Amino acid sequence: MNFFQAIILGLVQALTEYLPVSSSAHIRIIGELMLHTDPGAAFTAIIQLGTELAVLLYFRRDIARILSHWFRCLFTRPVTGNWKERFGTRDRDAAEGWYIIIGTIPIVVAGLLFQDAIETTLRNLWITVTVLIIFGVLLWVIDAKAPQKKTIREMNWKEALIFGIGQMLALIPGVSRSGGTITFGRAMGYTREAAVRVSFLMAIPAVFGAGILETVKSVGSAAADPTFPGWGATIAATVVSFVVGYVVIIGFLKFVSTFSYRAFAIYRIVIAVIVAILLIAGALQPMEQTTKTAAVEMVNTVAAIF
């Protein structure tokens, strides 16, 4: 990967991270077309830090309010003497902090348990094509039929966990982190804007955690990775994802306050069909060779155990 290709991927990341179209799928597909190989989970996770910094900047007041109330409830003596107050029973902003934590648990647990599969088997483009279509149809149907009555202030811990399960499914490229959380949120009756805001806020600990972890892991192994473009190009791509991502946040929130998600659902289906055609024609490979080998080894290991 050269400098120009890294910038292109940073731009793709910024344009697709917040939309329910799967940024990881786009990075995977466009990376394959440009590089004839997968850009890799490490590069993808690092440039996601740029888009998450844009979320921090845009929602800085909400984040500051939630954090201040959360710490105050956790470390201040309860007014009524009831320990449950520490979990936000009398403070809605503190409760939102706990709900974000609860919603982050599923993706953290699944990420740790299935890390090898996420970085190998699940990056198969046929899997990406399949989930692009499935979640495109789900988003279309659910958004058209579900009521818009709940706001983020009405969320409870059970619904936070359901949001988290939607976010967890995004570990499969093609599902889309925002697409998963938005689809689950709309199914529970949240307004389009509320579902988007929950998606943005819930992504902060999960995506930042993954990005920081991959950055630490890449410091020692970057030189050995043939696709890694170098830290200069990676940082430049991250800056691009930050600047463009901030603009996309503004535009997306305005869009969903007026229009439905149907256009995004149609886009997902069209992209899936195009990728399927390219796979059949041999212009794209479902998995890079190293990933194929790792996947085969994983299957053989499981078969040996049983």
Side-chain angles (χ1 to χ4, degrees):
M1 189 189 313
N2 59 39
F3 188 90
F4 176 75
Q5 291 168 333
I7 295 298
I8 292 295
L9 290 175
L11 181 61
V12 170
Q13 165 66 26
L15 293 173
T16 58
E17 170 67 21
Y18 309 112
L19 309 182
V21 297
S22 181
S23 62
S24 59
H26 281 74
I27 293 292
R28 173 75 177 87
I29 293 163
I30 294 175
E32 179 73 31
L33 288 171
M34 285 197 311
L35 309 171
H36 305 294
T37 187
D38 188 341
F43 175 79
T44 303
I46 293 169
I47 61 175
Q48 281 180 335
L49 290 176
T51 47
E52 287 312 304
L53 284 172
V55 170
L56 284 178
L57 180 62
Y58 187 87
F59 289 100
R60 60 191 182 279
R61 293 186 180 86
D62 299 81
I63 294 169
R65 186 188 70 252
I66 291 170
L67 283 176
S68 62
H69 283 251
W70 185 83
F71 277 108
R72 188 181 307 151
C73 276
L74 188 61
F75 296 109
T76 302
R77 182 186 297 276
V79 175
T80 64
N82 189 336
W83 62 269
K84 291 183 179 180
E85 286 186 30
R86 298 187 185 278
F87 295 94
T89 55
R90 292 169 55 89
D91 189 323
R92 190 65 205 179
D93 292 310
E96 285 182 24
W98 284 111
Y99 296 153
I100 290 171
I101 293 172
I102 291 171
T104 304
I105 292 173
I107 195 171
V108 172
V109 173
L112 292 173
L113 290 177
F114 305 106
Q115 182 178 2
D116 289 339
I118 292 165
E119 296 181 353
T120 55
T121 312
L122 293 181
R123 296 181 77 82
N124 187 311
L125 283 178
W126 280 116
I127 295 177
T128 300
V129 165
T130 303
V131 296
L132 275 171
I133 294 174
I134 291 173
F135 276 83
V137 172
L138 284 175
L139 178 61
W140 192 341
V141 173
I142 290 173
D143 185 51
K145 295 183 177 296
Q148 293 196 73
K149 58 184 181 180
K150 291 184 180 179
T151 68
I152 192 172
R153 307 293 286 185
E154 299 174 72
M155 184 165 48
N156 57 44
W157 73 266
K158 293 179 182 179
E159 291 175 340
L161 186 60
I162 293 172
F163 269 116
I165 293 171
Q167 178 172 247
M168 176 194 70
L169 294 175
L171 292 172
I172 306 171
V175 172
S176 168
R177 188 198 51 73
S178 62
T181 51
I182 288 170
T183 300
F184 278 49
R186 291 290 295 117
M188 291 186 288
Y190 281 81
T191 66
R192 294 186 180 113
E193 187 174 359
V196 170
R197 285 182 173 272
V198 172
S199 175
F200 285 161
L201 292 172
M202 205 165 278
I204 293 171
V207 178
F208 256 115
I212 292 171
L213 178 62
E214 291 294 345
T215 301
V216 172
K217 287 168 57 179
S218 298
V219 169
S221 61
D225 185 352
T227 63
F228 196 76
W231 285 105
T234 302
I235 292 171
T238 304
V239 171
V240 169
S241 71
F242 165 72
V243 175
V244 178
Y246 187 83
V247 176
V248 172
I249 292 173
I250 297 172
F252 187 38
L253 286 171
K254 289 182 178 179
F255 181 91
V256 298
S257 64
T258 307
F259 303 100
S260 73
Y261 293 110
R262 181 173 60 182
F264 299 110
I266 294 172
Y267 175 83
R268 290 175 63 100
I269 295 169
V270 170
I271 287 295
V273 171
I274 292 173
V275 173
I277 293 172
L278 291 173
L279 285 168
I280 293 170
L284 284 175
Q285 295 300 313
M287 301 170 71
E288 61 174 321
Q289 190 59 45
T290 55
T291 303
K292 290 180 184 178
T293 303
V296 170
E297 288 177 353
M298 181 182 298
V299 172
N300 290 338
T301 300
V302 173
I305 292 172
F306 292 97

